[in-house]
Amino acid sequence: MKNLEESIFLEPATLAEALRFQADEATRGLPLAGGTDLMVQWEAGVRMAPSRVLNLKGLAELHGLSVAGGSLVIGAGVTHAMLRRSPLVRQHAPSLAEAAATVGGAQIQALGTIGGSIGNASPAGDLAPSLLVAHADVEVASVRGARRLALSKFLVGYRKLDLAPDELILRFHVPVLPAGASETWRKLGPRAAQAISKVMGSYRGRVENGHIADFAVALGSVAPTAIRLPQTEAWLRGRALNADTLDGAEQRASAEVTPIADIRSTAEYRRWVSGRLVRGFLEHLASL
Amino acid sequence: MSRNFQVVNKSVRKIDALALALGKPMYAGDKVPPGALHIKFLWSPHAHAVIKSIDIRAAEQLPGVRCVLYHGNVPRIPHTTAGQGYPEPSPYDTFMFDTKVRFVGDRVAAVAADTPEIAAAAVAAIQVEYEVLSAVLSIDDAMKDGAPVIHDEPDAFAKIPVQYEPGKNLAAFVGMDVGNLDEGLAGADVVVDESYYAHYAQHCPIEPHVAFGYMDPEGRLVIVTSTQVPFHVRRIVAQCIEMPIRQIRVIKPRIGGGFGVKQEVLMEDVVAMMTVRTQKPCLLTFTREEEFVSSRTRHPIRTRIRLGAKKDGTFTAYGMDCLSNTGAYGSHALTVVCNCGSKMLPLYRAKNIHFTGTAVYTNLPVGGAYRGYGATQSSFAVESAMDELAEKLGVDPLALRQQNHIVSGETSPVFRALGEGKAGVEQSIGSCELAKCITLGAKEIGWKKRGDWRKKTGRMRRGIGMACLMQGSSIPEIDMGAASIKMNEDGSFNLLMGATDLGTGSDTVLAQIGAEALGCDVSKIIVYSSDTDMTPFDVGAYASSTTYLSGAAVKNCAEKVVKQILAVAGQMLGRKPSELAHGDSVVRAKDGSGQVTYSEIALHSLYNAEQHQIGAMSSHITHKSPPPFSAHFVEVEIDTETGALKLLKYVAAVDCGTAINPKLAEGQTEGGVMNGISYALTEEYLFSATGRMTNASFQDYKLFSMRDKPEIKTILVPSYEKTGPYGAKSVSEICINGALPAIANAIYNAVGVRLREGPFTAEKIWRGLRAMGAKA
């Protein structure tokens, strides 16, 4: 068993230096931001500490939070606490702020980052659904150059990302909430704080003349990654926002998810709650 | 009842609060001698297996390994880990190490090494060959014909004459009948016959089990341990390592929570053996996973309740049959199941009463003492059944309880019939303000707004539930507490007690009782507890005994000291003791002719004339176990779409006699209520098909946290228990018993779903709603 004390901590001063470390397999380290998941796993022996850790904490390049070109640009190093408090996030991606506010406890929020949450590639990561419904892009880079891709393409599978070993997550581009649209985030867990969700999700949608003009919904903990529900979304588009639509959407959403049973819940219950969450989102949309 | 108290019944600041808040080194883990060896266990990966062979050579040869213990190199001495009065009512079915393992997490071997890492590596290097046996993984399978016998060793036995049949996996059986239950049921207009299951849970003290040992310069063994029962530790360790009691000293520093799990001599035997073998300090600290899997749990118990009543609400029959899972060892098996009956049967009057308690062995984690001690499990059953009966009778469940609950001056045949491993002690209720608890609690929760669930509509539905509770205060004619007091030159007093403050504030409470009797401020009392070399005997902190029993010992002792103080003051003032009055650290002549301070009295007695140490030692036993009473009320809101439950408000009205320290009594109550809510809503053990616990961490075993805390209102309803110190009864256990039944009843009142098995997860409520076909 490897002890963390024996790990080498790489402390790059700049992003460029960090990318150079990652470029070569011989110097590459496991990226560490807030450490709220990795540190716990190493300490508990669930996962072995790696021989090299790349500490991203000090990199100023990863800390920006601004609006540019119709999108919120959120550095990978932005913490949950910053997301929760930021007036920009609350205005332009309120469901992301809501999600960030319920992750872990105060200490976890103060340390854990958006880059770490997404980079961890857990289906139970609380931030992914809000980014997915906003059609967010992720920007990654290596010494070979930077690239930008849709988050939905980036989340490949259970604990799997479209990220090369030499690449680091730089930032997220989150299209701002359009005028007239609304969104929210909801979670069902065993208790208020520091609990992994049984099911959670977000939507972003807009109604025009009583009909659904846009509707994007994403759920976590119901499939190998956080997922959008394209079939349900397509069925909803253009429909009148009435009781039949709510019933239909609930049925379709329940059928569209592929949850598993684990120690937190059964698949059957997750499937049901998924439908109910989507119904709740539509009710939220209708109430505005 | 108005009493003119000076120190008790006041919320004095906890005497150790500042030091604890400042993080001063007060716990066992803070005091470890430098260079201590680290002990790690090898735990069984199998639920039931025989150890065919074990090879420790590779482990022993690792550099830094100092000692490896296993069944082949330690004495084989049957004992119980239960820290109870001697001879213990728990079977002697445990060995330091055995040739058989009986649950996943049972002891196989242990290593002491220079570092925890080396110890872990050595544990991994031990080669064990197992012959895996089929396992008993449920209470229903335990007593089936042909079930694997878990304790087939010939040397397990019961130390006292109780029913113990290990060949049938029967760890304990007890029963009693008053009248004839069947006749009572036959004569009833309405009958409820239902079973309720109280599930596995763990105490989760913030400080896990921590103990270290060292040899003092004279070659005596010193054990410093986070225990509730230092004197039982000394006795049981002496038994296990075959060392005379005089060679052993046990010191209990501050304890970071116990809740019963430290009423167990769980690992001190191995710490002691390692220390003696290596002659070096040895430290053992449980991980959280070990705390869950290999320490002790709440006995899961299925309780069948049969209640019969006439149309007018009079009870004709009250039957309780408990089937308890004691896990792989019989620690507290008999006494916990006895308490199911003895604490909840006397609560209601009935002509025909029936009780059986059966505890079976399984190949699952081991039960033990846990706050509530059987009453938690049975109050869930009784108080749920009361609501089910009220529903059938068509009466208000509150009124049904008011009509039938025991009151002051009454007795119950159960007190005499059911004791702890033997017959009980007859008693009549000297103080009971349950009626007032019910009235005040009902008002606080708004009982009147509680409607029939069938009339509730909408997605979010609210419900109100309640439960009545009863516990005891110490074990009569078994438990003993003692204290000694000596006086110092400045008029201060050393108060030495065997009683163990496990975070409850009992050092403060007992200091208040001492100060009240001595007539001084609580700041003049220097408390030391507990150290088997220094302090007098006390059975320890369990069975809701410390305030009532050890408090009386302190009061007796202080009164003896006051007599000596008055004698010396009388000499100094030229007065008879009867002409003197004491208080505020001064003795005054009642005629106002003169006074001397406690400091002057102490100086006189120590230096001037007829020099002697003013001081005394006293002990106390009780002939009653006066019950505290409580009524708990809760309001919930259920989301009918997901089954998610939100607690809106919780009210606990409690009659604990005189609250010696009202703030600490409230603290005990709120803590216990949160403990109970957590048990009712989120805590549970999950097992694999082979009996391995699959959620042994705080990541997967969820405790209610402060962020989940609803508004909790504690109402202290004073009574005066004449047999208790300054009218006090107990308060610390009763408060955990209400959440399961009160919340179950509130869920029913909200949505009509009756849950008879905890925890009440959203999914269970949702399934109940679906089964009813109720759709929002």
Side-chain angles (χ1 to χ4, degrees):
Chain A
M1 194 190 301
K2 186 135 188 93
N3 293 312
L4 194 54
E5 291 80 20
E6 296 163 24
S7 299
I8 296 166
F9 269 68
L10 307 169
E11 301 278 356
T14 63
L15 177 63
E17 193 187 348
L19 294 177
R20 280 198 299 278
F21 275 128
Q22 297 306 86
D24 184 348
E25 201 175 334
T27 58
R28 192 176 293 153
L30 183 72
L32 179 87
T36 54
D37 198 42
L38 290 176
M39 298 292 283
V40 175
Q41 295 192 22
W42 295 336
E43 182 65 29
V46 175
R47 203 195 271 206
M48 265 206 299
S51 36
R52 283 181 307 279
V53 176
L54 181 75
N55 187 2
L56 303 172
K57 196 106 190 114
L59 297 183
E61 293 98 321
L62 300 183
H63 283 232
L65 208 174
S66 60
V67 177
S71 284
L72 268 170
V73 182
I74 304 173
V78 169
T79 64
H80 294 85
M82 290 156 77
L83 292 175
R84 185 186 79 210
R85 290 198 201 107
S86 159
L88 286 178
V89 178
R90 292 163 79 121
Q91 183 189 346
H92 296 300
S95 82
L96 185 61
E98 289 169 40
T102 57
V103 168
Q107 297 91 333
I108 301 267
Q109 290 176 17
L111 282 170
T113 66
I114 185 170
S117 178
I118 299 299
N120 203 20
S122 159
D126 283 320
L127 300 186
S130 300
L131 296 174
L132 286 173
V133 296
H135 303 89
D137 283 352
V138 58
E139 190 181 338
V140 301
S142 68
V143 290
R144 298 177 284 118
R147 64 191 177 101
R148 180 171 159 171
L149 70 166
L151 183 67
S152 55
K153 298 270 188 282
F154 186 65
L155 304 175
V156 174
Y158 182 75
R159 301 267 175 198
K160 268 198 204 133
L161 299 173
D162 177 8
L163 186 72
D166 64 343
E167 287 180 318
L168 293 175
I169 301 173
L170 298 190
R171 57 188 67 88
F172 299 87
H173 299 266
V174 187
V176 301
L177 185 67
S182 65
E183 65 177 37
T184 192
W185 183 86
R186 278 182 191 162
K187 134 182 211 167
L188 190 81
R191 66 174 187 191
Q194 287 174 306
I196 295 170
S197 307
K198 289 175 178 172
V199 180
M200 46 78 193
S202 298
Y203 89 96
R204 179 179 276 195
R206 193 166 54 87
V207 184
E208 258 179 34
N209 305 323
H211 287 71
I212 298 168
D214 296 302
F215 190 79
V217 61
L219 301 178
S221 291
V222 296
T225 69
I227 52 159
R228 290 268 300 273
L229 304 182
Q231 291 161 31
T232 307
E233 291 173 0
W235 183 82
L236 278 168
R237 211 157 292 134
R239 266 175 211 279
L241 196 45
N242 58 28
D244 287 346
T245 302
L246 263 58
D247 288 346
E250 182 186 341
Q251 283 167 18
R252 277 166 178 77
S254 283
E256 193 168 356
V257 296
T258 55
I260 55 156
D262 64 10
I263 58 175
R264 284 181 281 279
S265 201
T266 62
E268 186 193 7
Y269 183 60
R270 285 195 163 113
R271 197 175 274 287
W272 166 272
V273 170
S274 299
R276 287 282 155 166
L277 273 184
V278 171
R279 170 185 282 272
F281 288 149
L282 290 167
E283 285 170 350
H284 183 267
L285 182 62
S287 69
L288 296 168
Chain B
M1 205 164 304
S2 91
R3 306 264 160 170
N4 189 20
F5 296 128
Q6 300 302 311
V7 191
V8 303
N9 200 220
K10 294 189 172 22
S11 294
V12 170
R13 194 174 73 182
K14 213 166 171 246
I15 56 176
D16 48 358
L18 187 62
L20 289 170
L22 291 172
K24 300 287 186 191
M26 300 175 82
Y27 295 97
D30 296 328
K31 297 166 186 281
V32 182
L37 303 179
H38 296 264
I39 301 172
K40 291 267 182 207
F41 276 98
L42 173 62
W43 303 114
S44 167
H46 302 296
H48 199 191
V50 170
I51 297 172
K52 300 287 285 179
S53 70
I54 182 162
D55 185 348
I56 61 169
R57 282 170 300 179
E60 282 183 320
Q61 281 158 15
L62 281 179
V65 171
R66 305 294 168 180
C67 185
V68 181
L69 298 179
Y70 74 109
H71 65 79
N73 61 12
V74 299
R76 179 179 175 85
I77 294 165
H79 66 281
T80 176
T81 58
Q84 300 180 290
Y86 179 84
E88 301 95 332
S90 299
Y92 281 20
D93 61 0
T94 307
F95 307 86
M96 189 183 295
F97 295 98
D98 201 352
T99 52
K100 192 176 175 188
V101 288
R102 298 180 179 84
F103 69 106
V104 177
D106 203 356
R107 289 177 179 185
V108 176
V111 172
D114 292 350
T115 68
E117 292 78 14
I118 296 171
V123 162
I126 297 172
Q127 300 293 319
V128 189
E129 192 192 334
Y130 297 98
E131 179 194 340
V132 177
L133 307 173
S134 58
V136 176
L137 298 176
S138 86
I139 45 175
D140 295 311
D141 294 341
M143 292 188 67
K144 277 187 184 156
D145 285 342
V149 176
I150 295 167
H151 283 274
D152 52 355
E153 68 279 14
D155 42 355
F157 70 104
K159 186 79 177 168
I160 60 170
V162 292
Q163 195 166 342
Y164 177 59
E165 298 178 45
K168 294 182 183 168
N169 289 328
L170 181 71
F173 177 83
V174 60
M176 60 145 274
D177 279 283
V178 174
N180 184 309
L181 185 81
D182 292 334
E183 282 174 20
L185 290 169
D189 295 321
V190 173
V191 170
V192 165
D193 180 355
E194 292 290 352
S195 290
Y196 307 84
Y197 181 71
H199 53 289
Y200 261 115
Q202 221 266 339
H203 317 60
C204 302
I206 287 301
E207 178 205 35
H209 284 80
V210 182
F212 64 86
Y214 61 91
M215 303 306 293
D216 82 1
E218 285 85 33
R220 292 174 76 231
L221 169 65
V222 182
I223 302 168
V224 179
T225 176
S226 63
T227 183
Q228 295 171 227
V229 288
F231 287 88
H232 295 331
V233 170
R234 184 178 65 171
R235 174 174 47 79
I236 293 173
V237 165
Q239 177 192 4
C240 290
I241 70 167
E242 301 180 299
M243 192 184 234
I245 280 183
R246 65 179 178 278
Q247 286 294 99
I248 303 172
R249 175 180 179 188
V250 176
I251 298 171
K252 171 221 70 92
R254 295 286 85 187
I255 310 172
F259 313 104
V261 79
K262 294 172 183 170
Q263 191 199 332
E264 200 79 14
V265 187
L266 196 63
M267 23 83 99
E268 288 92 344
D269 59 334
V270 168
V271 172
M273 189 59 101
M274 288 289 195
T275 305
V276 170
R277 290 268 170 99
T278 63
Q279 294 287 303
K280 288 175 186 295
C282 289
L283 167 68
L284 179 53
T285 304
F286 268 8
T287 64
R288 187 56 60 183
E289 185 180 1
E290 289 170 329
E291 200 63 41
F292 275 115
V293 176
S294 300
S295 93
R296 295 291 177 259
T297 65
R298 182 179 295 289
H299 287 90
I301 296 178
R302 188 168 62 222
T303 302
R304 178 185 183 194
I305 298 291
R306 282 176 284 175
L307 279 175
K310 290 286 191 192
K311 280 200 186 96
D312 68 359
T314 317
F315 287 1
T316 58
Y318 183 3
M320 182 189 290
D321 297 281
C322 299
L323 180 57
S324 171
N325 175 6
T326 193
Y329 296 93
S331 174
H332 300 269
L334 172 67
T335 40
V336 162
V337 87
C338 278
N339 259 266
C340 290
S342 64
K343 296 294 182 274
M344 283 305 284
L345 285 171
L347 182 56
Y348 298 110
R349 290 175 220 110
K351 280 210 181 67
N352 302 290
I353 307 170
H354 161 83
F355 174 73
T356 63
T358 309
V360 295
Y361 286 123
T362 63
N363 295 110
L364 289 167
V366 185
Y370 187 167
R371 188 181 207 172
Y373 204 83
T376 311
Q377 292 92 322
S378 66
S379 57
F380 172 39
V382 172
E383 290 304 290
S384 297
M386 285 295 286
D387 265 41
E388 299 203 53
L389 182 65
E391 171 99 7
K392 284 192 171 179
L393 286 167
V395 300
D396 181 348
L398 200 69
L400 185 66
R401 289 175 172 88
Q402 285 170 320
Q403 182 185 347
N404 290 291
H405 76 70
I406 195 167
V407 297
S408 210
E410 286 183 327
T411 185
S412 163
V414 177
F415 288 127
R416 186 176 168 67
L418 269 185
E420 294 232 326
K422 56 181 186 182
V425 177
E426 199 167 337
Q427 64 171 351
S428 65
I429 300 298
S431 57
C432 175
E433 292 291 352
L434 179 56
K436 211 166 173 181
C437 290
I438 293 173
T439 315
L440 293 175
K443 194 171 168 209
E444 180 67 32
I445 201 76
W447 185 261
K448 281 187 186 151
K449 71 185 176 204
R450 176 186 181 275
D452 190 295
W453 67 269
R454 293 168 191 85
K455 295 183 183 136
K456 295 179 185 180
T457 55
R459 174 177 170 178
M460 310 303 275
R461 294 184 200 167
R462 293 186 173 192
I464 295 177
M466 67 91 59
C468 289
L469 309 167
M470 187 184 127
Q471 195 83 27
S473 306
S474 83
I475 311 169
E477 299 178 2
I478 289 180
D479 286 349
M480 191 276 271
S484 79
I485 295 174
K486 69 181 172 66
M487 191 176 196
N488 302 311
E489 288 103 315
D490 61 350
S492 66
F493 300 89
N494 292 104
L495 169 60
L496 280 68
M497 306 176 297
T500 52
D501 186 335
L502 53 150
T504 54
S506 73
D507 279 358
T508 305
V509 163
L510 298 181
Q512 284 179 263
I513 290 171
E516 182 75 37
L518 288 163
C520 67
D521 188 79
V522 75
S523 63
K524 299 286 171 59
I525 310 282
I526 308 151
V527 174
Y528 184 64
S529 73
S530 336
D531 177 333
T532 56
D533 267 15
M534 304 293 175
T535 59
F537 182 89
D538 191 293
V539 288
Y542 59 84
S544 283
S545 67
T546 303
T547 299
Y548 179 72
L549 173 80
S550 307
V554 170
K555 183 165 177 277
N556 297 347
C557 187
E559 284 165 353
K560 281 190 194 171
V561 171
V562 167
K563 274 191 189 149
Q564 297 174 32
I565 289 172
L566 292 177
V568 175
Q571 283 174 0
M572 295 169 74
L573 293 167
R575 290 282 185 285
K576 290 181 196 158
S578 60
E579 296 167 343
L580 302 172
H582 74 289
D584 296 328
S585 291
V586 171
V587 176
R588 293 181 184 80
K590 285 177 184 166
D591 62 9
S593 64
Q595 66 172 50
V596 281
T597 66
Y598 277 14
S599 175
E600 288 164 344
I601 293 167
L603 285 166
H604 187 84
S605 75
L606 291 170
Y607 297 105
N608 297 348
E610 292 181 33
Q611 287 91 324
H612 67 286
Q613 171 70 61
I614 293 178
M617 183 183 291
S618 276
S619 48
H620 189 69
I621 65 160
T622 75
H623 301 286
K624 287 182 72 170
S625 178
F629 294 92
S630 191
H632 284 200
F633 294 82
V634 63
E635 181 168 21
V636 304
E637 183 177 81
I638 310 254
D639 181 341
T640 51
E641 294 205 348
T642 59
L645 178 151
K646 191 174 166 193
L647 284 177
L648 301 174
K649 184 171 181 173
Y650 199 106
V651 179
V654 58
D655 158 19
C656 62
T658 300
I660 300 295
N661 187 315
K663 196 147 259 170
L664 289 176
E666 282 173 24
Q668 281 297 303
T669 304
E670 287 190 14
V673 164
M674 277 295 278
N675 206 170
I677 290 172
S678 187
Y679 179 46
L681 295 184
T682 58
E683 292 183 43
E684 68 181 318
Y685 271 50
L686 302 172
F687 294 102
S688 72
T690 53
R692 184 179 59 84
M693 184 184 180
T694 55
N695 62 332
S697 78
F698 281 155
Q699 172 140 335
D700 296 320
Y701 181 102
K702 287 301 181 192
L703 298 175
F704 240 48
S705 73
M706 286 312 283
R707 277 169 115 188
D708 301 294
K709 190 179 92 68
E711 180 192 352
I712 299 177
K713 171 90 177 169
T714 298
I715 305 172
L716 297 178
V717 181
S719 69
Y720 196 90
E721 172 56 43
K722 278 185 204 151
T723 64
Y726 302 109
K729 297 188 283 191
S730 80
V731 72
S732 60
E733 289 191 90
I734 189 168
C735 42
I736 197 176
N737 300 340
L740 264 179
I743 295 174
N745 291 338
I747 292 168
Y748 183 81
N749 180 242
V751 294
V753 172
R754 173 57 64 184
L755 294 182
R756 300 189 183 90
E757 180 173 341
F760 311 137
T761 59
E763 184 163 346
K764 272 191 198 145
I765 297 170
W766 170 75
R767 285 186 188 283
L769 284 165
R770 287 229 312 188
M772 291 167 52
K775 222 179 155 203

